[in-house]
Amino acid sequence: MSDQVAVLVADRPRGLFGDAWHALRRRLLFWASLAMIALVLLMAAFPALFTSGDPNEALLSRSRGGPSAAAWFGYDNQGYDVYARVVHGTRASVVVGVLSTIGVVLTGATVGLLAGFHGGLLDAVVSRVADVFVGVPFVLGAIVILTTLNPGGDAGPARIVAQVVLSISVLSWPVAMRITRSTAIAAKQQDYVKAARALGASPRRIIGKHLLPNCVAPVLVYATIALGAFIGAEATLSYLGIGLRQPVVSWGVMINSAKDYVRVAPHALLFPAGFLTATVLAFVMLGDAVREALDPKLR
């Protein structure tokens, strides 16, 4: 009897995410990217586990010192410990990426879901507004937003982070909107949605019970890839001097500080740039793996 029950449990059909997990756990690329992301998140949450150095301790006597046993990544132009700043700078970079992703997904998915379901004038207006934002170059738009919000450049760390998150969210929400809108338009043509309409289900119930579950998978894939892209966007803005600034410690701030003396102290730029590249690549690889697992046509 127990053997029959075990066979029935083993043969029970899996859902979308169960099937995706069954495919993901067999892929080395998935585990490699997940391990890298777990390491980065651990560094962001508990930097003291990786270094006891003070990221804000500057001694000009050790300026531009190379990697050694005392400082694995060497020292920068001001005498900061590059390794300590790379570890502690993980938090600001990750926080900006996570908050920007949450803002983009919540705004874009909500607007796209409503536009795709209702259609008509709402869909036309939302689509044209999104086209306007898509047509604005990201760097130019960020410069306009950040210089308008903080013309003096003397804001506190929390306000600087909030301004960078806001600029990224404002300029990036149309992508999530378009993904959710197209998925909602395809889902509302299905028979089960038509049946729910015929049975008198309210729009709120149809959106919550039928459309939203169908939109989760593509939005989840986009959010995974976008998180890495937004970490890179923060570094880009900080490199240009309009994103995060001192006293905030982030990879972008470190790259911006090291660019002027890269010939005499290349280690000050290579290590934060290497961590940034590896982190962005890990999120992109994870997003690709999840996309292939959630899409049966790609398996």
Side-chain angles (χ1 to χ4, degrees), residues 100-207:
S100 299
T101 303
I102 293 175
V104 167
V105 169
L106 289 180
T107 303
T110 302
V111 174
L113 195 60
L114 294 175
F117 175 74
H118 292 289
L121 180 61
L122 176 62
D123 186 24
V125 172
V126 169
S127 298
R128 299 294 77 77
V129 172
D131 291 341
V132 172
F133 281 91
V134 171
V136 178
F138 177 81
V139 174
L140 177 60
I143 291 175
V144 173
I145 294 174
L146 292 173
T147 54
T148 301
L149 293 177
N150 189 23
D154 55 352
R159 184 177 176 183
I160 294 175
V161 171
Q163 291 172 352
V164 174
V165 170
L166 178 62
S167 65
I168 295 176
S169 301
V170 168
L171 296 170
S172 304
W173 68 269
V175 180
M177 186 280 295
R178 287 180 170 180
I179 294 174
T180 310
R181 172 182 172 273
S182 61
T183 306
I185 291 176
K188 75 176 184 179
Q189 304 299 328
Q190 301 298 320
D191 292 338
Y192 56 85
V193 176
K194 295 179 180 179
R197 287 178 181 270
L199 292 173
S202 64
R204 179 181 299 179
R205 181 175 180 82
I206 294 175
I207 292 175

Side-chain angles (χ1 to χ4, degrees), residues 14 25 43 47 103 113 133 141 144 186 214 218 245 247 249 262 273 281 285:
R14 295 184 294 264
R25 65 185 183 182
M43 289 172 57
L113 195 60
F133 281 91
V144 173
N214 285 279
R245 299 179 295 277
V249 180
V262 64
L281 183 60
M285 290 191 302

